[in-house]
Each structure stands twice: as structure tokens, then as C-alpha cells.
Amino acid sequence: MRRRLGRECLYMPSCRLGLYVALRHWCRPGGRVLMSPVNDDVIFFVVLAAGLRPVQAPLRARDGSIDPAGLPESAWHGLSAVLTTNLYGNPDPAPELRARCDALGIPLIEDAAHAIGSEVAGRPVGGFGDASVFSLSKHVGAKSGGFLALADPGLRTELARARDALLEPSRLTAELAYALRPYAEAGVRGLRLVRAARAALRLLGQEERAEIRMPLRPGELTRALGTAPGLGGFHSWVRVDMHDYRLRSGRSRLHRTRRLLGGLDQRLAEHRRGTEKLLASPWGDPGGRAGAQPLFRVPLLVEDRDAAIAALAGHRVTTGYLYDPPLDDYAGEVFTDPSPAPGPAAWFARHALPADPRRADQVIAVLDGLGARPARRAEPARRAGPARRDEIGEGHGGGG
């Protein structure tokens, strides 16, 4: 990662822990952080755990990227930091955001969990911020691990100490479960038992999401805010989809992660080829800024997304990484500052169908067979209430 980014990198057991370490270092408690409302809710809770107030940014409906021009000038001057998302690998306008942060004297932190191979202005995503965080659960497929990249290499020792103070000791049971997970998942898929396995998890209380968004639990969250900054009060939210997010990595986990990371260039090439096909489809955006980026998921814009999800599920193609409704609808003004222009984010969140570019041909064939119509560009009124998860079958966190 140092070679790729030209920056000092610090290994983390998860992207979300790396983000927490970065926020705690660069932002004083009580500060306000601009972030995308179309984002994983885990990241929202990480920001709260760091003792910070999320401020939801206006987005571009075309690709879900942050729209700096849509934020009133007065709102910029109340910020303590800007946190990018680079949703699905589509780059946020990092050069413009970098210039804004420099003018205000605040840090830019890049969440590059989906964007390990993306570039903007001829530079890799993650090469603009004071800090950037990467996930090895996404393109790499390791289901564990991440990196914190630093503009100032002199901070590595200090931030390594901050990380180590948060780590929990490695557990043999966790390492065994990690080693066996790929075989168990392959067996479940091979026997077509995905739905049965999910039903069993729900009965055992291990299924943490009945809907796209996890339960907010406002009363508990209000009490947790009184403990911030700190992960302890927010653990039940921050651990969702990855209970080992702060577990010290054992040898087997590191060995597998290193092996998978060695195949990253091949994976990126596969993602790039599939991205080009999907963007050229009726539901893509061939003129979009993504170009030939190796997107982690390609957000196809579909009029009836629920019908598309069901049709894909019928062909054993699961749909994950949905972020609907936007965070300001999900959390409300008690816990976040809403976007000044929520329409584009709500429209994008409702219609974006995140397609795995490695299955581009199959996705296009299913949508063709369904007669799926491209979503018409519009900016509907703010939606209220959570959306159903439907046929979501893979990890859907953005933070990793």
C-alpha cells in the first residue's frame, strides 16, 4: 500500500477502526464533520463514537458523490473536518475538497473502503487527505483488515500506539471461525441454502439487520452519546457485520489477507472490465466521471429497484451495499444536521442498484429479461422511514 499510495500506511484490523483512530487524532470532541448521507450506517456511528456531530452533505444524483457547490458558505465555516465516501469507488471531488479544507484549516479524511483502485485527477483516491482509510474486505475479499494511510509519516508511531490501545487480544475461536468461513459460505451457496441460513441466524438472534439500515434505537443512542468519545457505548452499533473489527489479527488471518492482497491487480482488472460493460448498459452512465475506474459496485439506476433485486435473487445474484434511506432520514435532526438539499441523495439512494462488475453479463441479462426501465432523473420529496432489506445477501457495510 505504501508503493501504491506513496504514503506511510498502518495496518488496521478493520477500516472502521482506522477511521475511528483518525477522527480521534484530527478532530476535537464536539466538532462537526461533513459526510455523505448515502453511506453505511456503521460509519455514522463511528463518527458519533468519536464525539463528533455528523453534517450531511448535498450529493450529485448522477453518482452519489459529494456536491461541494450545494453546501452554503456559512455551513463550511462551522466544520471541523470533511469525510469523503467515494461511494462504490466513484471518487468524490477530492481536489476541490482538499482546497476547501486548506482554506479553512481543517483536515480532509478519505474513506476509501470502496475505492482501493480508483483515481481522481491522475492520483489515487486516498492520496489527498491528511489521512485515508482502506478496507481489505471489499476488492481484496479478505473479510478482514484495513489500512490507515498518512500524509505525515512522522505520525505513524503515535497512531500505532492509539490503535494498539484499542485492540482486543486475538482469540483462537475467532481465528478458527475466520479460517472456516470461506468453506462454510461456499457450502451454503452450493447447496442453495442462503435463505435457510439467514432464517436460522434470525431465530438465533444473530441476524442484526431486518432492514437495510440497522435499528437506530434512539433512547439507547441518546445515552451512548453521553459516553462519547469512546467505542464502549457504541459497540453494539459499530460491530454490526464485523464483530472482530477491533480484534488483533492472528497469524492465519494475516496469512490469508496477505495472499489475497497479492492478487489485487488481477481483481482490479476484472472490476474495471465489468464496470465498463455495466456503465454502457441502459441503466449505467457511460458519460459519468467514473470512466474506466475499477468500481467495487456499479450503481445502476433502475426505476423499480425492488423488482430488480427480486429478479436477480431468482438467479442467485444477491444485492448488497444498499444505503437507503439517506442518513438524515434515518437518524433525524436529533442526531445529525440534515443536508441542505436532500432531493438528489434520496433519489439516488432509492434507485441505485449496486451491481458486482464481476457478474456484469449475468446482471445485464437478468435486467434485460425483466424489462427493467432506467430511472428517470427526478428529485422527489424526502422519504421517511426505513426501507426493507428484501433479498440482500452479502455484507453491506461501507466501512469494513
Side-chain angles (χ1 to χ4, degrees), residues 24-384:
R24 292 288 289 118
H25 177 83
W26 271 277
C27 301
R28 293 182 178 179
R32 301 158 65 82
V33 177
L34 185 71
M35 63 182 295
S36 168
V38 183
N39 197 346
D40 184 27
D41 40 27
V42 167
I43 301 303
F44 175 78
F45 291 109
V46 169
V47 173
L48 292 177
L52 303 166
R53 173 80 173 180
V55 177
Q56 304 306 320
L59 301 185
R60 297 184 174 108
R62 177 186 222 167
D63 59 9
S65 63
I66 291 176
D67 180 10
L71 190 68
E73 198 65 32
S74 58
W76 285 103
H77 292 280
L79 297 176
S80 301
V82 173
L83 171 63
T84 66
T85 297
N86 304 293
L87 185 64
Y88 304 130
N90 278 311
D92 283 312
E96 185 176 350
L97 293 171
R98 176 74 271 173
R100 278 279 189 175
C101 289
D102 287 345
L104 295 168
I106 61 174
L108 174 66
I109 299 175
E110 297 179 83
D111 182 347
H114 290 178
I116 199 168
S118 296
E119 296 183 351
V120 59
R123 292 167 58 184
V125 169
F128 292 85
D130 298 86
S132 52
V133 289
F134 290 83
S135 171
L136 297 178
S137 295
K138 305 299 187 294
H139 286 87
V140 177
K143 308 288 187 182
S144 178
F147 285 95
L148 173 60
L150 309 169
D152 180 359
L155 293 174
R156 189 184 193 282
T157 299
E158 179 181 350
L159 292 172
R161 284 197 298 264
R163 173 203 61 188
D164 293 347
L166 295 167
L167 293 181
E168 296 174 344
S170 179
R171 299 190 305 271
L172 179 60
T173 54
E175 290 300 301
L176 287 173
Y178 177 79
L180 294 173
R181 178 175 174 174
Y183 304 102
E185 289 179 343
V188 166
R189 287 193 297 269
L191 295 171
R192 303 192 178 192
L193 296 175
V194 172
R195 291 185 180 180
R198 297 186 71 84
L201 287 172
R202 282 194 291 271
L203 287 172
L204 293 170
Q206 297 299 309
E207 177 61 47
E208 296 174 289
R209 293 180 187 266
E211 299 170 340
I212 293 173
R213 296 294 190 187
M214 72 175 86
L216 184 70
R217 310 197 309 272
E220 293 178 48
L221 184 56
T222 299
R223 291 190 290 274
L225 289 174
T227 70
L231 286 169
F234 296 86
H235 180 65
S236 63
W237 292 279
V238 176
R239 72 173 187 170
V240 168
D241 304 323
M242 184 178 284
H243 285 206
D244 296 343
Y245 76 96
R246 58 189 293 190
L247 195 70
R248 188 179 296 275
S249 299
R251 294 175 64 183
S252 63
R253 191 181 300 251
L254 290 172
H255 175 75
R256 181 168 182 262
T257 300
R258 186 180 299 113
R259 176 175 57 81
L260 290 170
L261 185 57
L264 177 59
D265 286 329
Q266 180 180 345
R267 289 287 287 267
L268 290 176
E270 294 170 359
H271 278 256
R272 185 175 287 106
R273 287 192 295 270
T275 295
E276 292 172 349
K277 290 182 179 180
L278 289 166
L279 288 177
S281 76
W283 314 276
D285 186 6
R289 293 186 301 109
Q293 304 278 5
L295 299 188
F296 172 61
R297 292 292 183 267
V298 179
L300 302 178
L301 296 171
V302 181
E303 187 66 33
D304 188 347
R305 187 184 61 199
D306 292 343
I309 290 174
L312 289 166
H315 289 79
R316 301 176 66 192
V317 179
T318 55
T319 304
Y321 303 96
L322 293 165
Y323 307 120
D324 184 26
L327 290 171
D328 35 10
D329 282 343
Y330 164 68
E333 294 184 27
V334 173
F335 301 109
T336 186
D337 286 8
S339 168
W347 184 87
F348 181 86
R350 179 62 255 169
H351 294 290
L353 176 71
D356 186 342
R358 293 171 300 167
R359 306 188 73 172
D361 291 336
Q362 188 176 10
V363 170
I364 291 170
V366 171
L367 295 182
D368 271 335
L370 178 65
R373 293 180 300 177
R376 293 170 295 177
R377 291 282 167 82
E379 297 182 6
R382 177 187 289 260
R383 293 175 64 249

